[in-house]
């Protein structure tokens, strides 16, 4: 199930490799829709790591929910699975240099502003991370552009010394 009102997007899925790729595409498209393109790479990397953990470790099933929320000054991505066991964060120094696993949450920590785990009783847990929104993406008033073409320049009133001439007092165009 996919829902995406204006400020959040929720995807329920089985954390299988083909579905993880689909969630990455959905996340990328949603961030483009919100004009948050600079966050795509880090958000996709983070959600991939969280979903890979569900695929590898979650029991009794691989069902999970990904929620993407655009808050005032940050993007929050969370994954809820049904396994109440909390993840074990390996110290990156203890990981073998050529190991192909064991760095996922360290990578999430490295690319995010903050991250964490919130137990959900016997219903599982939420693993989440946040990314700061780019200041350019904040709603701004449209900027007015002044374009002077040759016609406009003909009517510009600027003296040679750069000062504008004094204007005569306004007069009525109505006779009388």
């Amino acid at each position: 199930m996919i829902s995406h009102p204006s400020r959040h997007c929720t995807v329920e899925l089985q954390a299988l490799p083909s579905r993880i790729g689909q969630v990455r595409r959905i996340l990328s498209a949603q961030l483009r829709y919100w004009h948050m393109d600079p966050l795509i790479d880090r958000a996709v990397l983070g959600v991939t790591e969280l979903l890979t953990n569900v695929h590898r470790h979650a029991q009794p099933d691989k069902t999970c929910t990904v929620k993407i929320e655009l808050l005032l000054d940050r993007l929050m991505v969370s994954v809820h699975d049904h396994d109440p066991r909390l993840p074990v964060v390996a110290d990156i120094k203890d990981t073998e240099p050529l190991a192909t696993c064991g760095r996922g949450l360290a990578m999430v920590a490295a690319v995010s502003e903050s991250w964490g785990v919130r137990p959900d009783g016997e219903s599982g847990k939420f693993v989440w991370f946040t990314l700061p929104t780019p200041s350019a993406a904040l709603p701004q008033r449209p900027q007015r552009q002044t374009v002077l073409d040759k016609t406009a320049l003909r009517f510009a009133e600027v003296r040679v010394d750069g000062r504008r001439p004094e204007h005569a007092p306004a007069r009525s165009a109505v006779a009388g």
Side-chain angles (χ1 to χ4, degrees), residues 91-111:
D91 188 345
I92 199 82
K93 294 177 280 187
D94 296 336
T95 307
E96 290 294 319
L98 300 176
T100 58
C101 61
R103 296 182 181 95
L105 290 175
M107 286 177 31
V108 170
V111 301

Side-chain angles (χ1 to χ4, degrees), residues 10-62:
T10 304
V11 181
E12 295 177 28
L13 69 141
Q14 287 281 64
L16 303 172
S18 62
R19 297 286 291 161
I20 294 171
Q22 188 177 26
V23 170
R24 285 195 305 258
R25 290 185 294 278
I26 291 168
L27 175 58
S28 296
Q30 186 66 46
L31 290 177
R32 276 197 271 316
Y33 177 76
W34 286 336
H35 305 288
M36 296 286 165
D37 299 46
L39 301 181
I40 291 173
D41 290 340
R42 291 182 296 149
V44 166
L45 175 64
V47 80
T48 300
E49 293 303 326
L50 298 186
L51 290 174
T52 299
N53 283 350
V54 173
H55 173 70
R56 288 186 158 196
H57 305 293
Q59 296 175 9
D61 61 36
K62 308 297 180 192

Side-chain angles (χ1 to χ4, degrees), residues 42 69 71 73-77 108-109 111-116 128-133:
R42 291 182 296 149
E69 296 178 273
L71 306 172
D73 60 349
R74 69 186 38 91
L75 176 77
M76 176 175 261
V77 179
V108 170
V111 301
S112 66
E113 175 183 61
S114 60
W115 76 278
W128 56 268
F129 65 91
T130 63
L131 299 171
T133 57

Side-chain angles (χ1 to χ4, degrees), residues 114-127:
S114 60
W115 76 278
V117 179
R118 189 177 83 226
D120 191 26
E122 292 301 312
S123 299
K125 65 186 166 299
F126 292 90
V127 183

